Amino acid sequence: MRAGQRGRTGVRTGLLATVCLSAVVAGCAGPAGPGGPKSAPAPPAAEPAAARQAAAPALLPGLARQEEETGSEAVARQEAAVRTALEAAHRWGLAQPPLKAPPRPATRPELRSVTGVKLKDGRPPVVYRVPTDDKVVFLTVDDGAEKDPEFNRMAAELGIPLSAFVSDYLARENYGYFRDLHAQGVEINNHTINHRNLKILDYDTQRGEICRQQDQLEKQIGVRPRLFRPPYGEYNDDTLRAAGSCGVKAVPMWNEEAFPDHMEWRYDDQKLHPGDIILTHFRGTDIWKASMPDLLSKVLNDVTAQGFALARLDDYL
Ligand SMILES: [Zn+2]
């Protein structure tokens, strides 16, 4: 069953709402444990230029203001917000409402690149984990084969920030789908024209793959992305030089890959860490035997259970 079909059956107001309404107000929506060992072997990254208090995810919009506001109107508004979030979570089959990311950082963290890659002559940094202490992770969705409007609806109703990395050869049959995603706040980023392994191509061909997709996304969607991800995560110095020449500011990779039934982890501790980037794909039942909403449900349940919120990648990189 697809999550959207579950959604159309309407919202029950029984056990889940009764249990969770009080529990949510008490802050039961996820453990607030540490994000993982500081010694995790992520590629090195600089601390934020401006030191900033680590921010924890808030449960829901408005709840952070609870202490400042008094009176029955404020309480009623907060309860309505909780109810709306619970109903949306229930509609989409989530164990609990997703946590809301803290406000975006005032300044983007200063980035260093992975070991062995020199940041010279405008080469953008390659980033596996965003340098932040915020309890946020980032969901990135690649390629563009599956174009499921239920996925858009689910993300919109739950207020989930996403970052798409779009390859023209899959998107060109229906750029309208990605325009719709962009209109609802999803970042649209560059994943080349033809999704080739860039490492085996010469500089000029690589530059064509990247720069032409910048042009195409600007023409089709009205964005000229700051972020670019090479297909298969394969790149060399020419890739970074070419990307920099097309206006790319950062090259985000990933530490986890999400599937509808499991997560693949780069590191053995099998935990999310602040700033982790999660990869998934626009895929559907033909490959996964599950839908995009099924995938998003799995990711949100995992992320929330570990006390994290999804955040916008472009706010941090
Ligand atoms: Zn790809």
Side-chain angles (χ1 to χ4, degrees):
M1 178 189 285
R2 293 161 65 95
Q5 290 170 326
R6 286 197 296 270
R8 284 189 287 272
T9 63
V11 177
R12 292 195 298 273
T13 54
L15 181 64
L16 175 110
T18 307
V19 169
C20 287
L21 183 57
S22 56
V24 161
V25 173
C28 77
K38 288 187 169 58
S39 59
E47 288 301 309
R52 178 168 168 269
Q53 190 79 23
L59 186 60
L60 291 167
L63 287 188
R65 296 195 297 271
Q66 195 165 12
E67 290 180 3
E68 302 168 18
E69 291 184 293
T70 58
S72 58
E73 281 186 11
V75 171
R77 183 177 55 73
Q78 288 157 8
E79 286 183 352
V82 169
R83 255 194 311 278
T84 300
L86 285 169
E87 287 170 1
H90 190 209
R91 200 157 51 240
W92 293 102
L94 302 182
Q96 49 195 342
L99 299 171
K100 183 175 169 55
R104 62 185 292 177
T107 55
R108 292 186 174 99
E110 184 182 334
L111 300 174
R112 292 207 308 261
S113 196
V114 294
T115 303
V117 177
K118 289 196 170 67
L119 293 184
K120 58 181 183 182
D121 304 330
R123 291 167 176 78
V126 179
V127 180
Y128 285 78
R129 179 179 294 156
V130 174
T132 179
D133 293 325
D134 291 353
K135 287 211 74 176
V136 295
V137 292
F138 306 91
L139 183 59
T140 60
V141 193
D142 280 15
D143 300 350
E146 180 78 357
K147 302 170 185 69
D148 183 351
E150 288 293 276
F151 177 66
N152 304 20
R153 195 161 72 85
M154 180 178 185
E157 288 185 13
L158 292 165
I160 301 301
L162 300 167
S163 305
F165 287 81
V166 174
S167 190
D168 179 71
Y169 89 105
L170 292 167
R172 66 176 68 129
E173 66 180 20
N174 184 7
Y175 263 110
Y177 175 81
F178 299 96
R179 273 193 293 275
D180 290 346
L181 271 180
H182 180 250
Q184 70 181 60
V186 173
E187 294 169 36
I188 304 295
N189 298 309
N190 186 332
H191 199 45
T192 74
I193 292 283
N194 291 304
H195 204 273
R196 299 177 67 184
N197 178 353
L198 297 177
K199 251 172 101 169
I200 63 172
L201 304 178
D202 62 34
Y203 174 82
D204 288 340
T205 311
Q206 290 200 44
R207 191 170 186 280
E209 282 286 322
I210 303 167
C211 293
R212 284 170 50 219
Q213 183 63 346
Q214 293 287 82
D215 297 340
Q216 178 72 324
L217 292 173
E218 187 164 24
K219 177 181 164 194
Q220 296 288 348
I221 299 181
V223 296
R224 194 161 183 90
R226 299 174 60 261
L227 306 181
F228 153 73
R229 174 178 284 158
Y232 318 106
E234 295 286 351
Y235 68 95
N236 58 18
D237 189 60
D238 280 349
T239 314
L240 302 181
R241 212 155 49 89
S245 78
C246 310
V248 168
K249 301 301 182 194
V251 179
M253 297 297 191
W254 61 93
N255 274 349
E256 291 87 24
E257 182 169 357
F259 297 85
D261 58 351
H262 72 286
M263 188 85 86
E264 287 187 359
W265 307 86
R266 189 178 297 278
Y267 299 117
D268 289 340
D269 64 356
Q270 304 207 345
K271 282 183 186 169
L272 296 171
H273 309 88
D276 268 0
I277 300 170
I278 304 170
L279 164 69
T280 193
H281 294 86
F282 288 98
R283 289 177 183 157
T285 52
D286 54 336
I287 294 176
W288 275 341
K289 316 298 182 203
S291 68
M292 293 292 292
D294 293 333
L295 173 281
L296 189 54
S297 292
K298 166 70 175 156
V299 171
L300 290 172
N301 283 335
D302 286 357
V303 165
T304 309
Q306 293 193 38
F308 285 86
L310 291 177
R312 282 176 56 86
L313 193 55
D314 190 56
D315 286 348
Y316 285 78
L317 288 185

